[in-house]
Amino acid sequence: MRIDIITVQPDLLDSPFAHSIMKRARDKGLLQVEVHNLREYGLGQHRQVDDYQFGGGAGMVMMLEPIVACLEKLQAERTYDEVIFMTPDGQRFDQKTANRLSMKENLIILCGHYKGIDERIREHFITMEISIGDFVLSGGELPAALVVDAIGRLIPGVLNDETSALFDSFQDDLLAPPVYTRPAEFRGWGVPEVLLSGNFKAIDDWRYDEALRRTQERRPDLLEE
């Protein structure tokens, strides 16, 4: 999979993809992440990428020309399955969306900044809009990193145990059950006996019951859906 990220703050994306699972995915050649500095497409001597909004009001708006130039250059090189815009008013990102996007081949993610982007970009180029929650950040870079991480770990071969992602929270509309590791006894705090029993059917049943209980307690809305 290849993901191209367009941003005015490329340095914010150096660290998220240089460590841990994302680094492993890139080193294995399973995930290619290319970060494009929008200022390279900026106008004039100062590489301008934003301007005042028509009609007045506070906040600058990302301009049409630099974004179009970058998008059209990328789209001339390959076909993209989705052109995604990170925006607070997009659809709420969830595990189902991550699963669906992980099966794509090429994605573009455009990071918003300032007051947003010229609406004509959304009308003529964007195919999908994603929000990570009902709050506003300084830009779309951190949300983009979050989306790439959620997608990338689902690509076959990225995780050492490929079945691990199947049991993550939200994969079956349930939160994950409690997990334990050694030692089995610590300060009088024990581990549920069933997990030490070797009875895998009983263990699976316990995990399902615990996932259901935890979801009922913490996220009953998931069960309603």
Side-chain angles (χ1 to χ4, degrees):
M1 169 181 279
R2 174 181 171 123
I3 301 177
D4 291 88
I5 303 176
I6 302 172
T7 171
V8 295
Q9 298 287 344
D11 291 348
L12 285 176
L13 295 168
D14 285 343
S15 180
F17 309 128
H19 304 279
S20 189
I21 292 173
M22 290 301 98
K23 180 180 187 300
R24 195 155 63 238
R26 298 177 78 183
D27 290 346
K28 288 181 177 180
L30 300 172
L31 176 64
Q32 181 180 358
V33 180
E34 300 294 337
V35 178
H36 305 272
N37 187 348
L38 188 62
R39 293 195 183 278
E40 294 180 3
Y41 300 84
L43 305 182
Q45 179 182 355
H46 299 291
R47 298 293 186 183
Q48 184 179 359
V49 296
D50 63 304
D51 206 341
Y52 296 103
Q53 56 182 310
F54 285 128
M60 307 292 280
V61 177
M62 294 174 70
M63 301 166 63
L64 272 167
E65 295 98 316
I67 298 175
V68 170
C70 185
L71 286 173
E72 290 186 340
K73 178 180 183 299
L74 291 173
Q75 291 177 325
E77 296 170 352
R78 66 191 55 82
T79 299
Y80 287 89
D81 301 292
E82 299 283 0
V83 179
I84 300 168
F85 176 45
M86 303 304 304
T87 172
D89 58 357
Q91 74 174 65
R92 182 77 66 88
F93 187 66
D94 58 18
Q95 192 63 43
K96 290 184 177 67
T97 306
N99 290 342
R100 188 168 71 252
L101 290 176
S102 72
M103 296 184 284
K104 305 297 185 181
E105 185 174 353
N106 297 310
L107 302 173
I108 292 176
I109 300 179
L110 173 61
C111 301
H113 214 72
Y114 311 116
K115 198 66 176 178
I117 63 174
D118 190 296
E119 186 68 17
R120 289 167 287 184
I121 295 292
R122 301 173 79 162
E123 293 172 348
H124 297 284
F125 287 92
I126 301 302
T127 64
M128 185 176 189
E129 300 186 348
I130 288 179
S131 166
I132 63 165
D134 296 341
F135 51 88
V136 178
L137 298 174
S138 300
E141 289 77 19
L142 298 181
L146 179 154
V147 169
V148 173
D149 191 292
I151 295 170
R153 65 191 306 279
L154 297 172
I155 298 172
V158 170
L159 298 180
N160 289 331
D161 181 353
E162 293 189 14
T163 65
S164 176
L166 299 177
F167 298 99
D168 288 339
S169 290
F170 307 110
Q171 282 290 12
D172 52 5
D173 293 322
L174 296 176
L175 300 182
V179 293
Y180 301 84
T181 188
R182 291 179 287 185
E185 190 77 22
F186 180 75
R187 295 182 180 176
W189 308 332
V191 171
E193 287 295 328
V194 65
L195 297 179
L196 308 175
S197 69
N199 185 335
F200 295 109
K201 172 63 167 61
I203 291 171
D204 286 343
D205 290 343
W206 179 88
R207 285 175 171 162
Y208 176 79
D209 290 342
E210 285 297 306
L212 184 61
R213 179 188 61 78
R214 180 165 283 188
T215 306
Q216 288 173 330
E217 290 178 352
R218 303 185 182 191
R219 290 292 305 275
D221 57 295
L222 293 174
L223 299 176
E224 294 171 3
E225 294 174 3

